[in-house]
Amino acid sequence: MAEPDPDTISSGAGQRLGAPETLGISTLDPGHRPPAMPPGRHVTIRVRMLDDTEELFDISQKASGKVLFDLVCSHMNLIEGDYFGLEFQNHQKMMVWLDHIKPIIKQLRRPKHTILRFSVKFFPPDHAQLLEELTRYLFALQIKQDLSCGRLTCNDSSAALMVSYIIQSEIGDFEESQCRSHLLNNNYIPDQMPLIDKIMEFHSKNIGQTPAESDYRLLEVARRLEMYGIRLHPAKDREGTKLSLSVAHTGVLVFQGHTKINAFNWSKVRKLSFKRKRFLIKLRPDLNSSYQDTLEFLMPSRDCCKVFWKICVEYHAFFRLFEEPKPKPKPVLFSRGSSFRFSGRTQKQVIEYVRESEFKKIPFERKHSRVQYNSRAQHNSRLSPLPSPSHHEVPTDESVLVSAEDPSASRVRMSPLHQRNGHEERTGPHLSASSGHSHGMVNGQKSLELCGHSPDGRLPSPLTSPLLNDACSVRTDDEDEVRRKRFPTDRAYFIAKELLTTERTYVKDLEVVTVSFQSAVGQDEATPDSLKDAVFSAFEPLHKFHTGFLREVEQRLALWEGRSNAHIKGDYQRIGDVLLKNLQGLKPLTANLNKQSEILLELEKACKASRRLETLCRDFELQKVCYVPLNVFILRPLHRLIHYKQILERLCKHYPATHVDFRDCRAALADVSEVVDQLQGSLIKMENVQKLLELKKDLIGVDNLVVPGREFIRLGCLSKLSGKGLQQRMFFLFNDVILYTSRGMTATNQFKVHGQLLLHGMTIRESEDEWGVPHAFTLVGQRQSVVVAASSLVEMEKWMEDLKVAIEMAKTSNGPSSELLTSSLTDNKCPEDSSMEAESEDDMTAPHTSLEKPTPHRGNTMVHVCWHRNTSVSMVDFSIAVENQLSGNLLRKFKNSNGWQKLWVVFTNFSLFFYKSHQDDYPLASLPLLGYSVTVPSESENIHKDYVFKLHFKSHVYYFRSESEYTFERWMEVIRSATVPSSRARGLNGKETHP
């Protein structure tokens, strides 16, 4: 007999991200049809869903299994369909999975009399990897079935706890007589009667949980059980001992009864095969192992062997590969082995596809649930599986965001189903896009997101882009021509106009501190007087001065444009005299700017001492007016001086020495350069302190992050190789240590620290060939080694370059001596790789307390953007981004729209922020630029306008139009500073200005 050889197990990983094939297209979507049906006689297929309902599907007998599966996913509007499959009993009475590649006629002998079951096929190790509420609901139904039939075995406490979550989802909050009656009429576990009191006790502690929260808690308990997702296949060892084989995300498992007695991790398995009744596991050579090179298990029949071998091949490919394996070339004469291969997206592709896309939420019904606030209302639950129990009303202003993935989507009206806890959610006015049609597709389609809190109390995804209403005027070509003829075209005018537009933004930023912060925090009795005095004395004089300066610049530009006293405009086509006068007046106010770090530390110290002040500051940062972190606003005065220097350098470069404005510009440049040079050293230290303080808010499990001598270098995403395969982790590199973390699926969205590696004595080596993983390298510490993989060659080079420089720095410097992590985590212990799957009643009851009052947290910081975009940024990048700020009016056009919208746009902190006008107090939307490329449109794109640049990220395209060649060059320059990685040649401790 030919021996099947699953190449998927011995071959290297595929490319990191192939184009995923879409599954589960919504039947509700205009312009998209169900999968193409091949010709031939049709047959009706009966599919039993996880809620025990049965659906009929009319399909051609010649259609492949994938066509039927797509129809089922389409029927449910299921996006993450790749975790599921259709199973049926074949003619040999064995339960097998429907093959996606083979025609249905070759798999079902009697299609009319066969019932296919829609079931979970791949069980991920962490329920937080399931990003859609509907997916988690379906998993919860599968757990409910497995409990009921006795397949998911566990102790009594675990069983009672899980049933309490199930009935919380079905009947709602605890009421004793109702709960007891429900349990007497419904059996959830075998021999349920003795456990009714215990179930009721647990149920009484679930008050306030929504069905979505209950599903999440149920999966949280179930995933820790040894039998979670286990499907046993009978076998015997060589001695004839009765065993069972199973497969999981980690590898092949061996059970005796319901007890796991052995496990063969994928990293140790070289090849899986079968020969007649014998199932063979060929292991990689290991000197420390007592196992033979090849293990042999005897199964009841050849078909049993083949069924188990197939599911092993699929599990390995789904959890370990980057993309679907390519089909083998067909042999010319003879075939050897099976041609079977995994078909579909891998888990890596599914997670990245769902994260990078936004979808219209289609309401779904929970068949067994009587709860009023069911999942139909939680239409914005992706990436936030634990909504806050408290109800947050959506603001009724015009703060509306839509996903960056589909900017042309028009307004989607909330249905009456979108209610929660009996309160109808209020939305802002309906806004219209310039494209006239609506897209409602589920798979690959984009959802409406509201600025501020979503209906479940969460912040929107950071991957957002604006859709503005008719108040944002659409400029016509005639108006554009008239404007160009009326206003000056001199380059100096546009440089002066940049001074005006950025000064407007700067004054607004000062008002965030002097007005908004003072009213929200400064007037509270919890704020120490010393902090009030420090903030007031530093910012009030600056605000007063720059308000007057802005007025003078506006008056000068009005004269320059000829909007008043046009006959004398020739005397006012300059800006150097205004700059010189005001910069000399600003000098006394800059004397204390090197003390801005004292305000940062004073604020941090006060928040540590007062829980109320800490809450006030956190709540203030969640306000829309605080569009970047609060401590960024505190350093704005220093960055503004650098902006003045850059503007004056451009003016001096443009003017000939004989120009009337040259002398004043050169004198003003000398004055501001002197101040900037004096503050440069302090600015570098303050930016580092500010970054450490900001990172501290994003991390859980860190003590003493902000200590003298510690410098931040880089943060970003890498995939860490462990026993569970490649897992996405966020790494934070400092000059003495590197931390690795995972994103918590909680209300705070913070990153939990898993471990640390000290840089002292560390070495690095490339490991792509060693592990068969693209862009892999190994960090070899004194007590621990970690294998990681970057998303691209460029990312790997950036990390390795920074790590090598940081390691050299660690050799020569003393560095901070304090321990970084909490005492529960040490350098040589990685909790994610230790025995986390062990069942613990303490662990299972712990979630009750975590839902009481979740702490809100900004979900749109740069750390979260890096996590979503799978990229990284360095401290040098941060410094360039804050120094290269720009403001002004731009015209924006979407890929599929016709008109251009006029917007006020602010670039700062790696993002574009969009306003209706410069007078608005807060942005309507934002677009993080990490991962985007900025180019000029090609001829084929039919953008027949001057000064247009194009922002492009995967399938997302935006066009922006500026008013002159100078402004076009400036926008291209500053956006490139956020999208093109910086050169390490500039060093870790110094930076150039970016003219």
Side-chain angles (χ1 to χ4, degrees):
M1 165 147 335
E3 178 180 287
D5 185 2
D7 287 351
T8 54
I9 291 189
S10 56
S11 65
Q15 295 300 314
R16 171 152 281 264
L17 268 183
E21 186 171 0
T22 57
L23 297 177
I25 295 177
S26 167
T27 55
L28 304 178
D29 299 332
H32 289 84
R33 296 176 182 149
M37 195 69 64
R41 190 165 66 89
H42 280 229
V43 66
T44 300
I45 304 290
R46 188 183 302 272
V47 177
R48 182 170 296 158
M49 301 300 185
L50 282 165
D51 61 0
D52 291 328
T53 60
E54 290 189 358
E55 301 289 346
L56 301 178
F57 296 91
D58 190 53
I59 194 168
S60 168
Q61 282 189 332
K62 294 182 179 179
S64 66
K66 183 180 184 306
V67 173
L68 175 59
F69 184 72
D70 284 359
L71 281 175
V72 176
C73 291
S74 171
H75 174 75
M76 292 188 291
N77 299 304
L78 179 62
I79 298 163
E80 296 173 295
D82 307 77
Y83 289 100
F84 302 87
L86 295 171
E87 58 179 348
F88 64 96
Q89 194 175 57
N90 65 9
H91 63 283
Q92 296 173 319
K93 306 297 183 184
M94 296 173 56
M95 292 302 292
V96 296
W97 292 103
L98 187 72
D99 192 313
H100 281 196
I101 298 176
K102 287 184 179 178
I104 289 176
I105 195 172
K106 291 189 176 181
Q107 301 186 67
L108 306 181
R109 284 196 172 182
R110 302 173 67 194
K112 291 182 180 178
H113 304 284
T114 302
I115 298 178
L116 285 82
R117 296 191 66 96
F118 180 81
S119 305
V120 176
K121 187 175 185 179
F122 301 111
F123 289 81
D126 187 354
H127 56 305
Q129 293 172 335
L130 305 174
L131 304 180
E132 288 286 330
E133 183 191 330
L134 174 58
T135 313
R136 294 192 293 272
Y137 168 61
L138 295 173
F139 265 75
L141 291 178
Q142 183 70 65
I143 298 301
K144 178 183 171 183
Q145 282 188 9
D146 292 352
L147 273 174
S148 178
C149 69
R151 182 186 281 167
L152 181 58
T153 58
C154 57
N155 61 36
D156 289 349
S157 293
S158 303
L161 182 60
M162 287 191 287
V163 173
S164 77
Y165 289 134
I166 294 172
I167 61 176
Q168 173 71 20
S169 173
E170 292 184 356
I171 67 175
D173 288 344
F174 176 75
E175 197 281 312
E176 186 172 357
S177 59
Q178 180 196 27
C179 180
R180 187 175 296 277
S181 172
H182 186 78
L183 288 170
L184 290 173
N185 293 322
N186 297 273
N187 276 326
Y188 294 99
I189 50 176
D191 198 19
Q192 180 175 285
M193 286 300 294
L195 293 179
I196 284 183
D197 289 338
K198 195 160 195 172
I199 293 170
M200 292 175 64
E201 179 189 347
F202 281 130
H203 186 202
S204 66
K205 299 176 183 177
N206 295 339
I207 291 176
Q209 283 186 17
T210 64
E213 292 168 338
S214 299
D215 291 345
Y216 191 86
R217 296 307 185 197
L218 171 65
L219 296 177
E220 191 169 36
V221 177
R223 77 178 181 94
R224 298 177 184 274
L225 302 177
E226 193 163 72
M227 296 300 292
Y228 168 68
I230 296 300
R231 303 292 182 261
L232 297 176
H233 298 255
K236 293 180 181 178
D237 62 12
R238 283 182 174 176
E239 285 73 37
T241 306
K242 290 186 177 180
L243 304 169
S244 295
L245 298 181
S246 185
V247 63
H249 65 279
T250 53
V252 180
L253 312 178
V254 183
F255 284 81
Q256 196 162 33
H258 286 87
T259 304
K260 184 170 68 174
I261 62 173
N262 216 332
F264 302 101
N265 196 287
W266 293 126
S267 60
K268 298 177 182 177
V269 176
R270 197 173 111 196
K271 181 179 178 182
L272 294 179
S273 59
F274 68 91
K275 193 169 185 179
R276 297 185 177 90
K277 293 184 180 182
R278 291 181 295 140
F279 184 78
L280 308 171
I281 304 176
K282 195 166 188 177
L283 301 175
R284 297 183 185 276
D286 186 356
L287 298 177
N288 300 321
S289 174
S290 58
Y291 293 118
Q292 309 168 42
D293 178 58
T294 302
L295 299 173
E296 185 178 306
F297 296 91
L298 194 66
M299 303 191 82
S301 67
R302 175 191 179 276
D303 290 323
C304 291
C305 261
K306 187 169 185 178
V307 167
F308 182 61
W309 173 77
K310 280 185 174 182
I311 190 63
C312 287
V313 170
E314 291 183 308
Y315 251 83
H316 175 270
F318 184 75
F319 286 108
R320 296 282 286 184
L321 298 188
F322 285 85
E323 67 171 12
E324 177 184 353
K326 302 292 187 293
K328 296 179 183 178
K330 290 186 178 181
V332 178
L333 295 175
F334 303 104
S335 64
R336 173 176 172 80
S338 173
S339 62
F340 175 78
R341 65 181 177 89
F342 170 73
S343 172
R345 291 182 292 199
T346 65
Q347 188 194 29
K348 181 79 173 173
Q349 288 177 309
V350 174
I351 291 175
E352 293 194 359
Y353 170 66
V354 178
R355 277 181 178 158
E356 291 164 3
S357 307
E358 297 290 340
F359 306 99
K360 175 185 173 185
K361 295 298 169 186
I362 306 297
F364 67 90
E365 184 175 357
R366 294 171 179 266
K367 177 174 179 283
H368 303 286
S369 180
R370 307 179 205 164
V371 187
Q372 293 298 316
Y373 48 90
N374 63 26
S375 61
R376 293 174 294 178
Q378 296 168 2
H379 56 281
N380 195 23
S381 64
R382 191 170 71 79
L383 299 178
S384 53
L386 284 178
S388 169
S390 58
H391 178 69
H392 295 266
E393 291 188 339
V394 179
T396 56
D397 52 47
E398 298 178 2
S399 314
V400 179
L401 305 183
V402 296
S403 160
E405 311 299 333
D406 185 14
S408 62
S410 60
R411 290 279 61 79
V412 181
R413 286 190 178 271
M414 299 288 185
S415 73
L417 295 174
H418 292 168
Q419 299 175 3
R420 186 176 179 186
N421 294 342
H423 299 286
E424 185 175 354
E425 294 166 358
R426 298 182 294 152
T427 64
H430 297 291
L431 308 182
S432 60
S434 49
S435 75
H437 60 282
S438 169
H439 300 270
M441 197 172 83
V442 168
N443 188 10
Q445 211 53 19
K446 335 305 184 218
S447 68
L448 172 76
E449 292 200 24
L450 299 172
C451 194
H453 290 288
S454 63
D456 58 6
R458 308 243 169 211
L459 287 167
S461 163
L463 312 183
T464 52
S465 176
L467 187 67
L468 303 177
N469 66 1
D470 295 334
C472 301
S473 59
V474 179
R475 184 190 295 173
T476 66
D477 293 336
D478 291 341
E479 290 172 342
D480 202 38
E481 284 302 314
V482 169
R483 188 183 182 283
R484 289 195 189 190
K485 290 176 182 177
R486 190 175 75 225
F487 288 140
T489 56
D490 181 33
R491 187 178 182 86
Y493 162 76
F494 292 109
I495 298 175
K497 190 168 183 181
E498 180 185 335
L499 172 66
L500 170 65
T501 56
T502 52
E503 190 70 14
R504 283 173 173 167
T505 299
Y506 177 54
V507 170
K508 282 288 184 185
D509 287 349
L510 290 176
E511 288 173 359
V512 171
V513 179
T514 59
V515 179
S516 305
F517 179 76
Q518 289 284 50
S519 61
V521 180
Q523 296 178 4
D524 195 276
E525 59 184 13
T527 307
D529 291 337
S530 58
L531 178 60
K532 293 179 185 177
D533 294 341
V535 173
F536 183 84
S537 61
F539 283 89
E540 280 294 339
L542 285 172
H543 179 248
K544 183 179 180 181
F545 175 85
H546 285 281
T547 302
F549 178 36
L550 174 59
R551 194 179 304 114
E552 286 190 44
V553 176
E554 286 176 334
Q555 291 170 354
R556 177 56 58 89
L557 265 292
L559 293 171
W560 200 331
E561 292 169 355
R563 283 183 276 153
S564 63
N565 297 326
H567 62 283
I568 59 168
K569 69 176 183 178
D571 297 331
Y572 292 96
Q573 290 184 341
R574 55 197 176 109
I575 196 70
D577 57 332
V578 177
L579 275 165
L580 178 60
K581 170 194 162 188
N582 282 277
L583 286 176
Q584 288 176 344
L586 182 61
K587 257 191 175 182
L589 299 178
T590 62
N592 295 323
L593 283 183
N594 55 4
K595 296 183 179 178
Q596 297 297 98
S597 60
E598 295 178 11
I599 298 178
L600 292 175
L601 296 174
E602 177 80 18
L603 181 60
E604 173 69 12
K605 181 181 175 183
C607 287
K608 269 188 178 180
S610 170
R611 177 63 64 88
R612 174 170 173 76
L613 180 61
E614 182 184 16
T615 303
L616 286 171
C617 290
R618 184 176 59 240
D619 290 346
F620 177 72
E621 284 203 316
L622 292 173
Q623 292 182 19
K624 287 174 287 186
V625 71
C626 190
Y627 64 98
V628 293
L630 173 60
N631 48 26
V632 172
F633 287 106
I634 294 176
L635 296 188
R636 280 285 198 249
L638 290 101
H639 296 137
R640 188 58 182 157
L641 292 173
I642 297 175
H643 302 159
Y644 293 146
K645 181 182 176 185
Q646 293 170 355
I647 287 170
L648 284 163
E649 285 174 341
R650 292 190 196 97
L651 284 168
C652 290
K653 185 177 180 181
H654 169 69
Y655 285 139
T658 56
H659 195 279
V660 65
D661 204 24
F662 178 76
R663 181 177 295 180
D664 287 339
C665 287
R666 189 172 60 177
L669 177 59
D671 286 344
V672 75
S673 297
E674 180 185 352
V675 177
V676 169
D677 291 343
Q678 291 171 356
L679 294 173
Q680 188 67 33
S682 301
L683 177 59
I684 294 170
K685 293 178 183 177
M686 282 187 268
E687 285 179 344
N688 183 66
V689 170
Q690 178 263 321
K691 199 67 213 165
L692 292 175
L693 291 172
E694 188 181 333
L695 292 177
K696 184 180 176 184
K697 299 175 185 177
D698 283 311
L699 294 171
I700 298 176
V702 174
D703 288 338
N704 305 321
L705 182 64
V706 187
V707 295
R710 175 161 291 131
E711 296 178 25
F712 164 70
I713 297 175
R714 180 174 290 277
L715 65 85
C717 264
L718 294 170
S719 295
K720 179 177 176 292
L721 187 64
S722 67
K724 298 177 182 179
L726 283 171
Q727 295 178 310
Q728 185 179 2
R729 293 287 178 258
M730 180 64 75
F731 281 72
F732 297 83
L733 175 62
F734 303 93
N735 64 337
D736 61 324
V737 68
I738 184 169
L739 309 180
Y740 51 96
T741 69
S742 66
R743 184 173 182 264
M745 300 301 289
T746 64
T748 62
N749 284 330
Q750 291 169 285
F751 288 82
K752 181 181 178 182
V753 176
H754 285 291
Q756 66 174 342
L757 289 169
L758 298 177
L759 297 188
H760 187 73
M762 179 185 285
T763 58
I764 315 170
R765 68 170 185 268
E766 292 191 30
S767 309
E768 185 169 332
D769 295 336
E770 182 180 352
W771 296 98
V773 178
H775 320 306
F777 56 98
T778 304
L779 308 177
V780 184
Q782 291 183 329
R783 288 180 284 176
Q784 180 188 359
S785 296
V786 174
V787 181
V788 295
S791 59
S792 66
L793 179 61
V794 173
E795 277 293 306
M796 182 183 79
E797 290 173 346
K798 288 193 289 185
W799 274 105
M800 292 189 70
E801 187 178 358
D802 278 356
L803 278 162
K804 288 173 183 176
V805 175
I807 290 170
E808 286 302 314
M809 290 171 61
K811 288 179 182 177
T812 56
S813 65
N814 295 326
S817 58
S818 59
E819 279 296 316
L820 186 65
L821 298 185
T822 56
S823 56
S824 62
L825 298 176
T826 59
D827 183 41
N828 59 352
K829 181 180 178 183
C830 176
E832 63 183 340
D833 294 332
S834 59
S835 182
M836 293 287 286
E837 304 296 319
E839 192 177 338
S840 164
E841 292 180 25
D842 293 336
D843 288 343
M844 293 169 188
T845 55
H848 291 296
T849 58
S850 64
L851 274 176
E852 288 176 3
K853 279 191 179 180
T855 305
H857 186 74
R858 292 180 67 92
N860 59 347
T861 63
M862 201 46 53
V863 181
H864 291 84
V865 176
C866 286
W867 176 265
H868 285 288
R869 298 267 170 86
N870 200 11
T871 187
S872 68
V873 291
S874 69
M875 187 64 209
V876 175
D877 298 325
F878 277 107
S879 299
I880 293 173
V882 293
E883 291 175 14
N884 284 276
Q885 296 177 27
L886 194 59
S887 309
N889 285 311
L890 287 175
L891 299 178
R892 186 198 52 193
K893 178 185 178 299
F894 295 130
K895 185 177 181 181
N896 298 318
S897 62
N898 297 319
W900 293 82
Q901 290 177 317
K902 183 180 178 182
L903 306 171
W904 177 262
V905 184
V906 174
F907 168 80
T908 186
N909 219 37
F910 297 98
S911 300
L912 293 178
F913 295 91
F914 301 91
Y915 302 73
K916 284 191 294 182
S917 78
H918 69 84
Q919 296 168 327
D920 290 354
D921 291 328
Y922 53 83
L924 296 182
S926 63
L927 179 67
L929 295 179
L930 287 180
Y932 272 81
S933 61
V934 56
T935 57
V936 178
S938 63
E939 285 292 329
S940 61
E941 293 172 272
N942 294 320
I943 306 293
H944 304 300
K945 301 291 180 184
D946 294 330
Y947 315 129
V948 175
F949 60 91
K950 170 185 170 183
L951 281 175
H952 179 240
F953 175 69
K954 297 194 174 176
S955 61
H956 324 308
V957 177
Y958 307 91
Y959 301 101
F960 292 92
R961 206 170 138 201
S962 52
E963 63 179 346
S964 70
E965 183 180 3
Y966 172 79
T967 51
F968 168 78
E969 291 171 354
R970 286 290 294 134
W971 280 107
M972 291 281 285
E973 180 183 351
V974 297
I975 291 174
R976 278 179 177 150
S977 73
T979 57
V980 178
S982 61
S983 169
R984 293 301 305 169
R986 302 173 64 202
L988 290 171
N989 293 314
K991 56 182 181 286
E992 304 162 0
T993 56
H994 207 73

